[in-house]
Amino acid sequence: MNNPLLEPWSTPFGIPPFAEISDEDYAPALETALIEHDAEIAAIAENPAAPAFENTIVALEGAGAALDKVLSAFFAVAGADTNPKRQELQRDFSPKLSAHFSGIYANAALFARIEALWQTREEHDLGPEEQRLLKLTRRGFVRAGAALKGSDADRMREIKSRLSVLGTAFTQNLLADEAGWQMELSEDDLTGLPDFVKAPARAAGEERGADGPVITLSRSLIVPFLQFSARRDLRERAWRAWTSRGANGGETDNREIAREVLALREERAKLLGYDSFAAYKLETEMAGTPAAVRDLLTAVWEPAKAQALADQDALAALMQDEGVNGPLQPWDWRYYAEKRRKAEHDLDETALKPYLQLERMIEAAFDCANRLFGLEFKPLDVDLYHPDCRAWEVTRHGQHLAVFVGDYFARASKRSGAWCSAMRMQAKRPEVKTPIVVNVCNFAKPSKGAPALLSYDDARTLFHEFGHALHQILSDVEFGSMAGTSVARDFVELPSQLYEHWLEVPEVLKSYATHVETGEPMPQEMLDKVLKAANFDQGFQTVEYVASAMVDLEFHDGPPPADPMARQAEILQGMGMPEAIAMRHATPHFAHVFAGDGYSSGYYSYMWSEVMDADAFAAFEEAGGAFHAAMAEKLERFILSKGGSAEAEDLYVSFRGKMPGVDALLKGRGLAA
């Protein structure tokens, strides 16, 4: 019987044929693809011809096409539409994939060819991108342990295999805790909640087979509940469930996983000759060193904490005015902050949200991309991995550039958060490939037939993830391993955070923030209030973020803690963490850091990129406006199209002329003195 994962795909633009793929196809397809990739690697390593860029580096770029197809389809469903079978497959695949790629990096003959090319690089007529790819390939092998010998090499393979297993377990435990908890509400419990909270609560209850509305641990549902529910007891119950994910004991508890991950990362770094895992990880980032990251976070922490403490006093006074005694608690903050926002800015979320329709915000993101970069989006009628997914063909001047997939609604089969991924990366060599880009969000799904309404934070998330998508869509490099978002971790958030600024452009909101019932644009008075309140509660938001980033850094910059939870508490106490604010991601559910190596020692990168995004948008304003054509062309030419084909700092300086300081960030957040 033919396996659709291994057959040529005749689908539009090579989208995986999800309608034809069953869960039973993945395991045999992976085995076949791994064998094929091994043979391709062996042919490169054992090539009798002298090492050359084409027969070694370009050949490596082209190897593994079958494996890429299998994994592109599998990881799409594993993250956004999982089930017990797919979770079982993921647990099985993780150590196999780790062993497979560890074997490639440990291939002495292959590394010898790469090293020979590197040592003789001046003798080869290599262009700038070819030189860059050779450098990155060699560096990747060295940092993966290719130069290790004997027992050290064996131990490195064991560590990476174990880390892959632990990362998968951390993710699945978190998903289990999120999917397994719900708080059923009676109609009386809904009193005071706006319709845009009650409607998705009822929809969640229907999805989960409950008798009535439920609050789940989906951020798009639990956060507005904490914001609007007058029931302090229910807010506390929901908040405790939200913040204890991964720390509930039993099989889904992530605390021991976190401890082991930190110990293995430290051992891995020491095998490679680094003082700490943070030193190893940050070597290839823009920041370069743990000290540079600590300096940034410290510079932001003090003004943010001062603002948060002042806000805490104001919120506590509001609470006491209502006759609630005792200190302000973390489950009180959002509730009283919303009351304060309404009082100080006369901005009522219940009045604002009907103007933020999902459909109109998608149109807004597309229209901004059209005005800036000439992109056009045409809906595609294709089978995807879930009925909620939608696809568009992206063109410019009639030329196909990419396929964009949007998967916007929360469901129990999807992990929490929002992310951008690529089922296929852009490339020109060794064969031309156009990207297939996916944005995944977790917005509250409305009842059948009702329009989806977003919070302002949701709308910002949509623009953020679409900024990542543009980085992929506009990629124009030679080699796929340097395409799109394949950049330094503390540079990857620049395009996404920069694109958020276009949501706040008055003419964008005026055009696309239209009332769900009347179709009327947002009134100028409300628009002014939205923009004026853009930095409201920035003390809280900055403190919860910086606390998480600092814990991540300290975990990895020094000996691994025997008890990560005790170490977390120690770090927060040393920072003077306000008692009414919790870190955004506590260790047991800190998926950015423990579900894989992506953001480990790197959660600071959002803020590092924010230093640049504030400065980059200022460049548009200085030039004459948010849609200044020459600045848009420079942004695409020097950043969005370049991927990782040059050093991140060089790309930014080419765009802006110099690197910015932290002042732009503090000003942008309203925290400047």
Side-chain angles (χ1 to χ4, degrees):
M1 184 175 177
N2 293 336
N3 190 317
L5 287 161
L6 300 173
E7 296 294 317
W9 293 348
S10 59
T11 50
F13 309 109
I15 297 170
F18 289 106
E20 301 173 19
I21 301 169
S22 75
D23 287 346
E24 304 305 318
D25 293 323
Y26 288 112
L30 181 71
E31 295 299 329
T32 300
L34 289 174
I35 292 169
E36 183 176 317
H37 195 207
D38 280 336
E40 292 167 337
I41 296 298
I44 299 168
E46 298 164 12
N47 189 340
F53 188 78
E54 288 290 333
N55 70 18
T56 303
I57 305 301
V58 177
L60 275 173
E61 283 286 299
L67 184 58
D68 288 343
K69 287 174 63 177
V70 174
L71 295 181
S72 70
F74 178 71
F75 283 118
V77 298
D81 190 29
T82 193
N83 59 35
K85 176 62 177 177
R86 291 168 186 172
Q87 292 181 33
E88 177 188 344
L89 289 169
Q90 194 171 9
R91 291 191 294 271
D92 183 46
F93 289 179
S94 291
K96 288 183 179 179
L97 289 170
S98 176
H100 174 74
F101 288 107
S102 292
I104 293 173
Y105 285 117
N107 188 315
L110 178 60
F111 182 57
R113 292 181 71 86
I114 296 168
E115 186 65 20
L117 274 172
W118 176 252
Q119 296 300 333
T120 61
R121 59 191 179 279
E122 301 300 332
E123 302 171 15
H124 302 272
D125 185 21
L126 301 180
E129 285 197 39
E130 292 172 328
Q131 295 176 37
R132 174 75 172 166
L133 180 59
L134 175 58
K135 175 184 177 179
L136 294 180
T137 302
R138 178 185 178 271
R139 187 175 77 183
F141 270 75
V142 171
R143 286 172 58 81
L148 297 178
K149 306 294 183 185
S151 60
D152 285 349
D154 292 339
R155 180 57 182 157
M156 180 62 78
R157 284 193 292 272
E158 292 171 0
I159 289 172
K160 288 194 284 189
S161 177
R162 181 61 179 161
L163 284 171
S164 72
V165 170
L166 293 172
T168 298
F170 190 98
T171 301
Q172 294 189 355
N173 288 347
L174 185 54
L175 179 63
D177 274 8
E178 290 171 348
W181 186 90
Q182 63 187 42
M183 182 169 67
E184 298 188 10
L185 303 177
S186 68
E187 288 300 318
D188 289 342
D189 296 333
L190 298 175
T191 302
L193 292 178
D195 287 341
F196 64 76
V197 179
K198 291 188 283 190
R202 291 191 174 101
E206 292 172 11
E207 181 192 5
R208 293 183 173 224
D211 293 333
V214 302
I215 299 300
T216 71
L217 295 182
S218 169
R219 185 179 185 88
S220 61
L221 187 52
I222 199 166
V223 168
F225 179 80
L226 292 170
Q227 192 175 358
F228 291 102
S229 175
R231 288 283 301 277
R232 195 181 190 215
D233 59 330
L234 296 182
R235 292 201 312 269
E236 179 180 359
R237 183 179 165 195
W239 183 87
R240 290 191 181 281
W242 173 244
T243 56
S244 66
R245 291 168 296 153
N248 291 307
E251 294 181 355
T252 63
D253 198 294
N254 276 332
R255 287 171 288 191
E256 174 57 24
I257 290 177
R259 185 205 63 77
E260 187 177 355
V261 165
L262 292 171
L264 290 173
R265 285 177 178 164
E266 173 78 357
E267 186 181 357
R268 176 182 175 184
K270 291 292 176 65
L271 281 172
L272 294 170
Y274 294 88
D275 291 337
S276 67
F277 183 80
Y280 159 76
K281 190 68 184 297
L282 294 171
E283 179 186 49
T284 59
E285 308 299 337
M286 293 184 75
T289 66
V293 174
R294 193 173 286 106
D295 286 347
L296 169 68
L297 296 177
T298 301
V300 177
W301 174 254
E302 291 304 327
K305 182 173 71 169
Q307 182 63 59
L309 289 172
D311 291 342
Q312 180 174 298
D313 291 342
L315 299 183
L318 282 178
M319 185 178 76
Q320 287 154 13
D321 286 346
E322 291 189 351
V324 181
N325 297 319
L328 185 79
Q329 297 292 347
W331 49 88
D332 298 318
W333 190 292
R334 287 181 172 88
Y335 179 71
Y336 287 102
E338 176 61 25
K339 285 180 173 288
R340 185 185 182 197
R341 182 173 73 152
K342 188 174 181 180
E344 293 186 0
H345 296 280
D346 194 21
L347 186 60
D348 185 351
E349 179 101 357
T350 59
L352 172 63
K353 202 161 185 177
Y355 289 95
L356 299 175
Q357 301 172 63
L358 172 61
E359 296 304 312
R360 297 293 280 153
M361 291 300 102
I362 294 172
E363 291 175 26
F366 287 177
D367 183 57
C368 290
N370 176 263
R371 294 178 65 182
L372 289 165
F373 311 114
L375 302 183
E376 297 181 338
F377 298 82
K378 177 184 176 183
L380 287 173
D381 184 12
V382 292
D383 288 319
L384 296 164
Y385 58 83
H386 191 277
D388 285 346
C389 296
R390 303 150 67 185
W392 293 263
E393 181 190 7
V394 187
T395 61
R396 181 158 58 185
H397 309 310
Q399 179 183 354
H400 174 81
L401 289 184
V403 170
F404 173 69
V405 177
D407 180 2
Y408 295 110
F409 294 125
R411 53 181 172 267
S413 63
K414 182 192 289 187
R415 64 180 171 90
S416 62
W419 65 93
C420 177
S421 61
M423 294 188 203
R424 186 174 64 220
M425 303 288 280
Q426 177 269 328
K428 298 177 184 176
R429 293 167 60 188
E431 64 175 301
V432 175
K433 295 180 181 178
T434 56
I436 301 174
V437 189
V438 186
N439 274 180
V440 182
C441 299
N442 268 284
F443 304 143
K445 189 173 183 178
S447 301
K448 189 173 182 179
L453 302 180
L454 305 182
S455 67
Y456 197 71
D457 186 55
D458 287 339
R460 186 182 290 114
T461 296
L462 187 148
F463 268 70
H464 178 101
E465 297 307 331
F466 193 70
H468 281 310
L470 288 174
H471 205 177
Q472 300 277 21
I473 290 167
L474 292 170
S475 179
D476 187 24
V477 299
E478 292 291 311
F479 304 103
S481 61
M482 298 192 300
T485 56
S486 301
V487 299
R489 182 63 63 176
D490 48 11
F491 191 66
V492 76
E493 298 298 337
L494 168 60
S496 55
Q497 292 178 182
L498 175 58
Y499 205 65
E500 291 179 32
H501 289 272
W502 273 271
L503 174 62
E504 297 180 353
V505 173
E507 63 186 281
V508 174
L509 284 173
K510 206 162 192 177
S511 297
Y512 291 97
T514 56
H515 197 276
V516 64
E517 294 176 357
T518 67
E520 292 295 314
M522 183 183 291
Q524 185 64 46
E525 183 183 9
M526 180 180 287
L527 177 62
D528 292 341
K529 291 174 183 176
V530 168
L531 297 176
K532 188 177 179 181
N535 280 324
F536 179 75
D537 215 22
Q538 274 296 334
F540 170 86
Q541 294 178 40
T542 307
V543 161
E544 64 165 7
Y545 166 80
V546 174
S548 294
M550 192 66 86
V551 167
D552 167 42
L553 178 66
E554 299 299 345
F555 270 172
H556 293 99
D557 188 30
D563 183 347
M565 299 306 294
R567 178 65 179 135
Q568 172 185 292
E570 180 183 25
I571 295 166
L572 296 178
Q573 183 178 14
M575 296 171 67
M577 183 75 171
E579 293 183 3
I581 304 177
M583 57 190 288
R584 184 172 297 176
H585 304 290
T587 297
H589 57 259
F590 206 164
H592 278 80
V593 171
F594 292 104
D597 272 357
Y599 281 88
S600 55
S601 299
Y603 193 62
Y604 77 92
S605 59
Y606 291 93
M607 188 152 281
W608 191 276
S609 292
E610 190 177 340
V611 171
M612 291 179 284
D613 84 61
D615 180 63
F617 193 71
F620 278 85
E621 295 176 319
E622 292 163 11
F627 294 99
H628 192 273
M631 288 308 303
E633 190 276 332
K634 283 185 69 176
L635 179 63
E636 179 179 350
R637 174 157 48 101
F638 291 121
I639 295 178
L640 296 178
S641 69
K642 291 296 185 183
S645 62
E647 292 292 340
E649 185 168 336
D650 294 340
L651 294 176
Y652 191 82
V653 171
S654 295
F655 166 70
R656 188 62 165 126
K658 60 181 177 60
M659 289 296 293
V662 73
D663 292 347
L665 180 148
L666 293 174
K667 181 181 178 183
R669 287 189 172 230
L671 299 174

